[in-house]
Amino acid sequence: MRKTLLCLLFSILISLLMANTFSAEDSPWDDGKSIDLNWELSPMVKKVEICRQNGDEPVRILVTCTDATGSFRDNELQPNNEYHYQLKAYFEDDDLTLRASAQTREQWFYMGKLGFLILLLLLCAAIIYYIQAARHGKEFFIRRIAGLDSMEEAIGRATEKGKPILYVPGISDLDDIQTIASLTILSHLAERAAEYDTEIIVPCRFSMVLSAAKEVVREAYIKVGRLDAYKPDNIFYLTDDQFGFVAGIDGIMLRRKPAANFFMGSFYAESLILAETGFATGAIQTAGTAQAHQLPFFVVTCDYTLIGEELFAASAYLSKDPQQLGSLKGHDFGKLLIILLIIVGVILEIMGISNLKEFIVGAIS
Amino acid sequence: MKSTAPLFFAFIVGVIVLLSEFIPHSPFNQIVSTLEGWFMIISGFAILLGQISLIRMNTHKIVHKLDNWQYHLAGLISFGLMLTLGLLWGMQETPGILGDAPGIQAWLGQKPFDYLFDNAYLPLSATLFSLLAFFIASAAYRAFIIRGLESNLLMITAIIVIIGRTSIGTMLTGWLPENLQFWHFPNLADFIMEFPNTAAQRAILISAGLGIVGSSLRIILGIERSYLGGDK
């Protein structure tokens, strides 16, 4: 009796060891463009090959490995399509073929972004709350931003010297939020320049930015009633090429010697070439970018630098509009929230609890 | 209408793009890719505006013989030359109006456009980029002049990183025993780059991210209008 039982147990163990499974399932909470493949084979397997067979399409080998157990995500598929997979397992003196099928399905929510959505909603709610509070007359304290306060000084200096102001709206196209932020600053700067009757030069790298910058400056001159002083030729296209653009601006700085240079927007490797040339001409320089790698260059070479968030806050700060200033308070709430999350996250990690981290990491991925 | 329509479109498009970040289901993903396609089409047409601006500005300066008009003439000739060569004989695999110019290719080794691109444009571009090395040296010199506590700290940190990233660093502290390896220059430099430097950069990136959210929200809600030309 005991012998039979042992034999039975041994055969169950062997069959469990030898169980070969292969499955294909639609990846959950995605845009219906991937399928998850999982396999579990006997440890004696020598080689595993998985391929996709789909209608008349040629067979495509997706995985070749020696792992007895594993998973693979087949990406870049068409949504709402059925896909057929074949796994070929090669053993010492035998081979095995397993098949699986799955249909891709579009989901209505990216579950991995839930944490991100919650954070975004909290931040938006805070910004809207502070905007509403400002609308109802509540006044907020906004810290001084030296780089923006110096704008008057820079324009005043250019006016005194009778020299132009150079404004570079970054080297990215209009689809970059930094360029949009730069154009909002340009609007305020052009207004001041129009009031002081100081020439403003705006070289642009992209035609879309050129069109927007022209409109922004023109409207600013109209707003202060100085359309006669507006010079459309001072806002011009240079070139799409990164270093060609820099060479052009360097030439303008050396030949026309602007009294004030503004570098606002997205900058890359050319940031130091621009700012050092401006420094050599003796101009008062203000820069602003959210590119963390370029900030040290601007900090060293410019008189004032708007760091990251300050670039986006500039327009609200300069407008003195209570509603826009209220939105800046929302940013502060966001910072507080992030600080709290970091502190709580560190404490939880020390305690060995990773749920918060996983939730946030899931949100980012 | 002139000011309301852009605000309306900015709101609708902003909301759709925002929703598509969280909703993977159609039609949101298709709408976003269509909008991206539209942007490309508008950009394509806008290139013409750029060329017109370029020709107008340079011609004006040449015609009126303004200061340094010769540079503008050189710029205009270069633009015209590249445009003509590209149109006539194409570039790389793309044939031009007159085909592939096998005769010229046999003489130059490549198409005229590619010849000028490789032998004039690329060296000029590389020359300008190489200036960065000298600018870094002069900017670093100014940054490291000892003026106060901050510049002192900056200089000390910079020296550690510079020495740690060169072979001198390995030579200078390579003899340190195993338990003092943290003070080995390359390890110190790695520590500075990995922890204090990364922490500071992340702080800037997080605050910039918050700024982007706030800025986008102001634009979507129509509170921020100065990018359209008119203030609120």
Side-chain angles (χ1 to χ4, degrees):
Chain A
M1 178 65 185
R2 190 183 285 176
K3 210 171 180 178
T4 321
L5 202 67
L6 270 171
C7 274
L8 191 70
L9 273 170
F10 185 72
S11 61
I12 289 170
L13 197 68
I14 289 289
S15 64
L16 275 173
L17 276 173
M18 298 296 282
N20 297 305
T21 57
F22 175 54
S23 67
E25 280 174 17
D26 173 43
S27 305
W29 307 109
D30 74 340
D31 52 356
K33 288 184 179 171
S34 56
I35 285 177
D36 287 334
L37 304 172
N38 292 291
W39 67 93
E40 206 171 332
L41 303 166
S42 159
M44 274 93 83
V45 70
K46 296 288 173 203
K47 186 184 164 192
V48 178
E49 197 177 271
I50 300 174
C51 54
R52 186 174 68 209
Q53 294 175 308
N54 190 38
D56 297 335
E57 281 180 27
V59 176
R60 192 178 158 194
I61 297 170
L62 302 172
V63 181
T64 308
C65 66
T66 53
D67 302 334
T69 308
S71 61
F72 176 78
R73 178 164 284 189
D74 188 14
N75 289 310
E76 293 175 21
L77 303 174
Q78 289 297 315
N80 305 317
N81 258 15
E82 184 149 357
Y83 289 89
H84 306 281
Y85 297 90
Q86 181 181 289
L87 181 145
K88 256 194 171 175
Y90 298 91
F91 295 94
E92 193 71 52
D93 41 31
D94 196 12
D95 58 3
L96 173 76
T97 304
L98 297 168
R99 288 187 176 83
S101 303
Q103 189 175 11
T104 50
R105 285 182 205 284
E106 289 175 310
Q107 309 295 322
W108 281 100
F109 187 64
Y110 280 115
M111 193 52 87
K113 292 185 178 178
L114 180 65
F116 180 44
L117 179 66
I118 292 170
L119 286 176
L120 189 68
L121 287 176
L122 277 173
L123 186 60
C124 291
I127 292 172
I128 292 168
Y129 166 77
Y130 284 111
I131 289 171
Q132 287 299 331
R135 268 186 189 159
H136 289 98
K138 190 167 180 180
E139 286 187 13
F140 297 108
F141 167 76
I142 304 291
R143 72 176 171 87
R144 282 187 64 242
I145 301 176
L148 297 173
D149 289 338
S150 71
M151 209 173 257
E152 292 280 341
E153 178 196 340
I155 298 168
R157 187 169 157 182
T159 311
E160 276 173 21
K161 292 176 87 173
K163 296 272 185 184
I165 295 166
L166 178 72
Y167 189 95
V168 185
I171 66 156
S172 285
D173 208 345
L174 212 54
D175 57 345
D176 189 328
I177 187 78
Q178 292 186 67
T179 311
I180 305 269
S182 177
L183 290 177
T184 61
I185 300 170
L186 174 63
S187 172
H188 296 283
L189 186 77
E191 258 182 60
R192 290 276 168 277
E195 280 170 6
Y196 288 95
D197 199 17
T198 304
E199 205 178 345
I200 183 164
I201 303 168
V202 187
C204 300
R205 189 186 169 202
F206 290 104
S207 309
M208 294 270 277
V209 180
L210 169 78
S211 315
K214 270 195 170 175
E215 195 63 22
V216 161
V217 176
R218 189 172 169 274
E219 289 290 334
Y221 273 75
I222 291 173
K223 200 178 170 191
V224 294
R226 295 297 319 275
L227 188 59
D228 54 309
Y230 170 62
K231 292 180 183 170
D233 286 347
N234 276 351
I235 301 125
F236 51 88
Y237 166 85
L238 267 178
T239 167
D240 272 36
D241 179 65
Q242 183 184 13
F243 289 104
F245 183 66
V246 178
I249 295 172
D250 278 3
I252 293 165
M253 284 197 272
L254 292 171
R255 286 193 297 270
R256 302 210 49 190
K257 299 255 182 325
N261 295 335
F262 289 88
F263 308 112
M264 302 280 184
S266 182
F267 290 92
Y268 293 88
E270 72 294 333
S271 61
L272 190 63
I273 301 176
L274 286 176
E276 267 292 283
T277 311
F279 178 84
T281 62
I284 183 165
Q285 301 201 102
T286 308
T289 185
Q291 304 283 359
H293 288 97
Q294 306 308 323
L295 278 168
F297 298 135
F298 281 141
V299 169
V300 168
T301 47
C302 295
D303 299 278
Y304 302 97
T305 309
L306 303 181
I307 298 171
E309 181 214 6
E310 290 175 343
L311 175 73
F312 302 106
S315 177
Y317 184 88
L318 290 169
S319 72
K320 305 272 189 282
D321 171 25
Q323 283 190 66
Q324 294 208 43
L325 289 174
S327 74
L328 296 186
K329 271 289 164 203
H331 294 192
D332 291 347
F333 170 82
K335 280 185 222 164
L336 187 70
L337 189 69
I338 299 279
I339 290 167
L340 283 174
L341 277 174
I342 289 171
I343 293 170
V344 173
V346 167
I347 293 169
L348 288 177
E349 281 297 312
I350 290 168
M351 290 164 67
I353 304 164
S354 307
N355 297 31
L356 183 69
K357 188 187 117 186
E358 280 163 15
F359 185 64
I360 302 286
V361 169
I364 291 164
S365 66
Chain B
M1 183 64 187
K2 197 189 162 195
S3 62
T4 318
L7 289 176
F8 175 74
F9 285 122
F11 176 77
I12 297 291
V13 171
V15 169
I16 290 173
V17 172
L18 193 64
L19 286 176
S20 72
E21 270 301 306
F22 301 100
I23 303 174
H25 208 281
S26 48
F28 289 94
N29 38 13
Q30 284 106 322
I31 293 173
V32 171
S33 53
T34 306
L35 288 172
E36 283 167 1
W38 286 3
F39 180 82
M40 294 303 291
I41 293 166
I42 296 168
S43 296
F45 278 107
I47 286 173
L48 199 65
L49 286 177
Q51 313 303 351
I52 292 168
S53 163
L54 184 87
I55 295 166
R56 236 181 71 180
M57 190 195 78
N58 285 296
T59 315
H60 173 79
K61 288 187 173 161
I62 295 162
V63 169
H64 294 92
K65 294 261 170 78
L66 297 180
D67 287 345
N68 306 305
W69 63 272
Q70 299 91 334
Y71 296 129
H72 298 279
L73 183 65
L76 215 51
I77 290 172
S78 309
F79 171 74
L81 186 67
M82 290 300 271
L83 184 73
T84 314
L85 294 177
L87 281 173
L88 291 180
W89 294 293
M91 54 182 185
Q92 291 178 329
E93 304 304 313
T94 319
I97 298 165
L98 300 180
D100 281 320
I104 302 172
Q105 277 199 64
W107 179 51
L108 287 175
Q110 55 195 135
K111 287 184 178 178
F113 182 94
D114 296 332
Y115 181 81
L116 280 179
F117 188 87
D118 290 343
N119 297 292
Y121 166 79
L122 283 183
L124 285 171
S125 199
T127 305
L128 201 77
F129 186 46
S130 65
L131 288 176
L132 200 56
F134 302 99
F135 284 136
I136 285 178
S138 64
Y141 172 74
R142 276 205 310 283
F144 301 151
I145 292 172
I146 300 170
R147 284 180 295 252
L149 179 70
E150 287 97 341
S151 50
N152 245 329
L153 287 173
L154 190 67
M155 193 196 67
I156 293 165
T157 315
I159 285 173
I160 293 170
V161 174
I162 290 168
I163 294 176
R165 290 286 156 105
T166 54
S167 51
I168 298 170
T170 318
M171 275 165 55
L172 283 175
T173 49
W175 52 270
L176 283 171
E178 194 66 38
N179 56 344
L180 292 174
Q181 273 302 300
F182 177 77
W183 302 104
H184 184 37
F185 271 118
N187 294 343
L188 264 180
D190 285 346
F191 173 81
I192 290 167
M193 295 306 288
E194 201 172 335
F195 297 102
N197 180 51
T198 310
Q201 292 218 13
R202 281 189 187 160
I204 291 168
L205 288 174
I206 288 171
S207 71
L210 291 172
I212 289 171
V213 172
S215 217
S216 307
L217 198 66
R218 283 200 300 272
I219 290 169
I220 289 172
L221 295 178
I223 296 167
E224 171 68 77
R225 299 172 190 195
S226 40
Y227 72 101
L228 292 171
D231 207 348
K232 196 187 137 34

